[in-house]
Amino acid sequence: PACADPASLEPPALREELQRCEETDPSRAGRIARVLVRLGEEDPAVRALAVAPVDQPPQLNRIEDAAWMAQVAAPGLERSLTGLMALLGPEVITWHAHPAPSYGLSRRERVESLPVPPPLAGEAPEVAVAVGVPAPVLFITPDRDARLVHINLAVTGRYHAALAVGKQALAFEDEPTMRFMLGRKLTFMRAEHLVCTAVDGPEDLRALHLAVAHILDPGTLPEPPAVVAGLNRVDAYARLRQTFNQAHRAGAARTALRAAADSAAEGEDPALLARWERWLIASAETSFRCGLLVSGDLGAALGILDLDSLIPGTDHGHDQCYPALYEFYLSEDYEALRQILAG
């Protein structure tokens, strides 16, 4: 994600604001203190304020779609492209769904088969409600050296979002960390982000964009490459035509294509690779924001992010850039969304 303006996070300005709101808004004061400590603050009083416990709602309420797009979604998540992906995601993801054995998973590893489920299993349905997705199927795999692995699962021919829970995730049992990990992963179970779990990079999303245009608005964009979203172009065309046989789906997709074209810069290819690269990076930042939001604990969130060297949803490394996340944590949007979660 693009770095926030460092001037908005200057420690002297944050200290002044902390003094102003310490008595009137202790919740915000605590958040400012936690950011200051992350930025290197050594004042014992500030550090003491930073370790004060964060109130966690006993259950999480759903963030409705309008609030999600306006306040949770990262600023760089271009809405016209998001609309196109929301239409395509539930269909295209079925192209990549396979039975559990294809992933080396078995029914006996499903959480409902265990006599004592791990604590994370109890958090997953709560976080799913907040994110606005069905609770994922969970496979408990303590022998896997991983945290949470997204699985596009086919059960009796139908798609189900699933997670393989590895030993790295099972090592965490504190609620804020578990919620952050789940919020980050379950973001990619929302319709508009589903395809992120099945692509290698922005080239795949551009190819899908071009293929849809070829079917619904031929001649307006170049022909897609030989491989589209993991399928050869002819097979992808056939599946898309089947999807768009229904007039309402075709109409919605044409509207989304026009919106993507209208929002492109003048003279710019609507399926420009750089647009899709920015969109993927913003999808990753959105997942960070969601995880932090349902966790409510900056330290727990950054403890997980500090372990990672890649931003999810991209095919190459980016420097971890946290100021944008700090700004979200200190924003009015964050406070309003936490109130929605708590009900």
Side-chain angles (χ1 to χ4, degrees):
C3 286
D5 179 2
S8 66
L9 293 169
E10 286 291 339
L14 289 175
R15 290 190 200 101
E16 287 183 14
E17 186 174 1
L18 175 61
Q19 291 177 348
R20 286 196 301 269
C21 68
E22 192 168 358
E23 294 296 330
T24 59
D25 191 349
S27 175
R28 178 167 179 76
R31 297 201 306 277
I32 295 171
R34 293 179 194 104
V35 170
L36 279 169
V37 168
R38 180 72 184 189
L39 296 176
E41 179 64 59
E42 296 184 356
D43 185 324
V46 175
R47 298 184 73 88
L49 189 59
V51 298
V54 177
D55 290 336
Q56 297 288 357
Q59 66 180 41
L60 299 175
N61 293 305
R62 178 176 177 172
I63 300 170
E64 298 296 338
D65 289 344
W68 179 281
M69 288 307 302
Q71 297 172 286
V72 181
L77 198 71
E78 191 176 335
R79 285 204 174 197
S80 63
L81 299 185
T82 302
L84 184 60
M85 285 296 99
L87 291 170
L88 296 176
E91 171 61 28
V92 174
I93 202 63
T94 65
W95 305 357
H96 300 276
H98 305 285
S102 299
Y103 300 102
L105 299 168
S106 68
R107 177 168 290 276
R108 60 183 172 80
E109 292 173 307
R110 287 182 59 151
V111 68
E112 56 266 31
S113 300
L114 302 180
V116 182
L120 185 140
E123 295 294 333
E126 287 284 330
V127 175
V129 167
V131 178
V133 299
V137 176
L138 295 180
F139 292 86
I140 308 304
T141 58
D143 294 333
R144 292 190 178 215
D145 188 17
R147 287 203 297 275
L148 299 176
V149 179
H150 198 113
I151 303 295
N152 294 316
L153 185 66
V155 180
T156 62
R158 298 185 63 184
Y159 168 77
H160 292 268
L163 293 173
V165 184
K167 67 179 181 181
Q168 293 180 30
L170 294 171
F172 296 101
E173 296 190 354
D174 63 292
E175 184 177 81
T177 300
M178 291 189 294
R179 285 185 172 182
F180 176 78
M181 292 189 295
L182 287 164
R184 181 177 165 186
K185 279 292 183 182
L186 268 58
T187 295
F188 292 102
M189 294 182 185
R190 287 180 58 89
E192 65 267 30
H193 297 295
L194 274 173
V195 175
C196 295
T197 67
V199 300
D200 292 327
E203 297 85 359
D204 291 336
L205 295 182
R206 170 176 162 79
L208 184 59
H209 188 162
L210 294 175
V212 173
H214 178 82
I215 299 298
L216 295 179
D217 202 5
T220 58
L221 292 176
E223 192 171 17
V227 176
V228 174
L231 299 183
N232 72 65
R233 184 169 54 206
V234 173
D235 288 343
Y237 284 170
R239 295 201 185 201
L240 289 171
R241 286 192 178 98
Q242 185 177 12
T243 297
F244 298 135
N245 272 341
Q246 298 182 29
H248 72 280
R249 288 188 175 183
R254 285 191 179 96
T255 298
L257 285 172
R258 285 195 295 271
D262 291 345
S263 61
E266 186 175 355
E268 180 183 81
D269 177 355
L272 188 70
L273 185 65
R275 288 183 82 187
W276 283 112
E277 182 171 25
R278 290 192 298 268
W279 188 87
L280 274 177
I281 293 171
S283 293
E285 186 181 349
T286 299
S287 78
F288 297 169
R289 289 160 68 104
C290 175
L292 176 58
L293 185 62
V294 296
S295 165
D297 190 317
L298 182 66
L302 297 181
I304 293 295
L305 289 181
D306 284 345
L307 298 175
D308 295 334
S309 58
L310 287 177
I311 289 179
T314 68
D315 61 349
H316 58 281
H318 288 269
D319 291 337
Q320 293 288 1
C321 181
Y322 295 140
L325 199 60
Y326 300 156
E327 285 207 328
F328 174 63
Y329 183 60
L330 297 178
S331 70
E332 293 181 0
D333 281 344
Y334 176 88
E335 181 64 28
L337 289 164
R338 284 288 291 178
Q339 291 176 9
I340 291 172
L341 288 176

